[in-house]
Amino acid sequence: MPTSTSIAPSRAPDPQLPREPRPAAPAGGDPPAAPVVVGVDGGECALAAVRWASEEAVRRGTTLRIVHAAPYLGRRTEPGTVPPELRRARRITAAAYTQARHTAPTVAAATHLVPGEPARVLLDSAADAQLVVLGIATTGAFDELVVAPVAQRVAARSRTPVVVVPRPRGPVPEGRPVAALLGLGDPDDDEPVVRWAADRARREGVPLLVLQPRPRGSGAEPVDWAARHPDLGIAVQDVPGADPRELLRAVCPAPVVVLGAGHGSLLHRLLDGPHRYLLRHCTSPLAMIPPVHRPEDEPREEIVAIG
């Protein structure tokens, strides 16, 4: 059975929650690779995310960190007593751990219980991770009001790539390409999107499809992505405008659909309309890549947030 720990960096460890030792460094003294983080809430869609994240952690040769954000564990109890909700939280992490080991028996997985608001807990956990994975259904009121906003906030604010895994809808046909959607952020953000998608296509052993939504009448010179990644079979398709419905029809189903997370609003750092539409309707795992960091944006954002 897995053990659990509090990992919230902004607060001291809760003595009422058991602690788990960190994974040992690999032989030779090299530091351990950054983990893949997956958020779980006890739902079936979260278990689908665990399955995806488990295989991805093995593919990347790293560990899997299963995180359950439990704001209901934040209430203090008498010293020496265990919070009554801890059993529920442990059932959630135990089910996720079991799913991970059944999916990828060789994965090195650890579970973490963290009292706190889910989006903040996941963002804190992403700080030392190489990838964050979340499940989402978006088929009813609960998903729209609770789960979807968490995924939106994490994807919009994370400096680590975030993969959102939708409700399972059957296997992807063999040989379908990884898809990269460009033009949904600043032009400088397209390069990291294609680079991430190309790395994924290499791991999958499939081609790469690059969609370039081009505003009508645009005279911008297209980038020769095939020349930048000559080892891959890359198909480039121009899509007039940037209608997310047309983009989804062109790429789904796909092993992964990759796009930039955009910049959102300075005040709330939320996803814009096209990103929210894609997050809600995409039937393939959706990987959102953080925008290129621009230091000049930070002071403006801080001023808006304060005032």
Side-chain angles (χ1 to χ4, degrees):
M1 287 293 294
T3 56
S4 304
T5 181
S6 172
I7 58 171
S10 59
R11 57 185 293 175
D14 191 331
Q16 298 180 14
L17 297 180
R19 294 184 60 80
E20 178 175 24
R22 293 180 179 274
D30 294 333
V36 170
V37 168
V38 59
V40 297
D41 60 6
E44 178 56 37
C45 291
L47 293 181
V50 169
R51 292 191 289 270
W52 197 95
S54 302
E55 295 176 341
E56 186 67 11
V58 171
R59 187 179 288 113
R60 292 170 177 254
T62 189
T63 58
L64 177 67
R65 180 188 296 165
I66 301 169
V67 177
H68 174 49
Y72 54 87
L73 290 180
R75 298 187 294 271
R76 304 298 300 178
T77 59
E78 293 296 326
T81 63
V82 176
E85 300 90 349
L86 184 57
R87 181 173 298 180
R88 169 196 170 193
R90 283 176 168 166
R91 284 198 300 267
I92 290 173
T93 56
Y97 180 89
T98 300
Q99 186 70 254
R101 294 304 303 271
H102 282 177
T103 302
T106 62
V107 68
T111 63
H112 298 261
L113 297 179
V114 189
E117 191 273 324
R120 174 47 53 196
V121 167
L122 291 167
L123 287 169
D124 288 345
S125 188
D128 65 342
Q130 60 176 288
L131 187 66
V132 178
V133 184
L134 301 173
I136 191 170
T138 59
T139 57
F142 174 79
D143 298 301
E144 292 299 317
L145 297 176
V146 180
V147 181
V150 170
Q152 290 175 22
R153 288 196 295 270
V154 173
R157 302 177 189 180
S158 175
R159 295 192 177 183
T160 301
V162 175
V163 175
V164 180
V165 179
R167 182 187 298 275
R169 290 178 170 84
V172 176
E174 186 175 352
R176 288 286 297 176
V178 169
L181 305 184
L182 308 185
L184 296 177
D186 290 343
D188 291 344
D189 298 331
D190 288 346
E191 175 63 35
V193 168
V194 175
R195 186 168 59 247
W196 200 97
D199 289 343
R200 180 71 194 194
R202 292 185 184 99
R203 292 193 185 102
E204 294 272 354
V206 297
L208 174 61
L209 172 64
V210 177
L211 264 66
Q212 298 186 135
R214 193 184 310 282
R216 292 176 175 83
S218 172
E221 187 68 23
V223 176
D224 189 351
W225 299 112
R228 295 194 181 187
H229 301 275
D231 60 315
L232 280 176
I234 297 183
V236 179
Q237 180 177 341
D238 289 340
V239 180
D243 188 332
R245 292 169 294 185
E246 294 183 13
L247 298 179
L248 287 184
R249 282 195 292 267
V251 301
C252 288
V256 184
V257 177
V258 189
L259 67 157
H263 293 273
S265 94
L266 290 176
L267 179 59
H268 300 293
R269 289 186 180 180
L270 297 177
L271 298 179
D272 58 21
H275 285 83
R276 291 197 301 272
Y277 181 92
L278 293 169
L279 186 66
R280 181 177 179 182
H281 295 283
C282 188
T283 59
S284 301
L286 194 68
M288 285 180 274
I289 312 305
V292 174
H293 180 59
R294 296 175 178 82
E296 64 270 22
D297 290 344
E298 297 299 330
R300 286 177 36 195
E301 185 172 325
E302 291 173 0
I303 292 172
V304 172
I306 292 173

